[in-house]
Each structure stands twice: as structure tokens, then as C-alpha cells.
Amino acid sequence: MTLFGKAVHVSIDLVLVSTCLAGIKRNTGLSPNLALIESQTAREYTRKYLRFGESVYDYSVASCGTSKYFERK
């Protein structure tokens, strides 16, 4: 696999992990404790990463909600 292919694969994996964490947060209220991160810069990037996952989660739920392949019960 080329370097570009590996970068795409890792990027997709990171989006999936962030989206999974957003789903856990929405369904259970549990979220990572960012106060444990000592570096202010790393904490800010982690917040941005988690917010991106929430955006992907919201978009996915909205798309599924308007699709004929999904129904609410």
C-alpha cells in the first residue's frame, strides 16, 4: 500500500473512532476526561477532533432519518 493509501486509511479510522465516541456521548452521557491532558494545545486539538466526530454523527443521523431505508420505531 502506498503512503497515500495508508494516510487515507488512518484518516478514515480516526473519523470512525471520533464518530463512535460522539455516539457514546449522545447515548450515555459519557465523554473523555480532557482535564487529564496536560498540554493546552493537545487538549484544544482533542476538543476539535471530538467536535468533528459529533458533526459526522449528526450528519449521519440526519441522512438516515430522511432515507427510505430507515424507519423510526
Side-chain angles (χ1 to χ4, degrees), residues 18-63:
S18 180
T19 306
C20 180
L21 289 172
I24 291 170
K25 180 179 178 182
R26 295 285 171 91
N27 291 317
T28 65
L30 296 171
S31 61
N33 185 2
L34 300 182
L36 297 176
I37 301 174
E38 294 180 17
S39 169
Q40 183 69 24
T41 305
R43 193 176 312 139
E44 274 304 309
Y45 280 114
T46 304
R47 273 195 193 102
K48 289 179 183 183
Y49 170 70
L50 294 173
R51 270 188 257 145
F52 178 72
E54 288 184 21
S55 298
V56 172
Y57 181 81
D58 290 339
Y59 177 78
S60 301
V61 169
S63 295

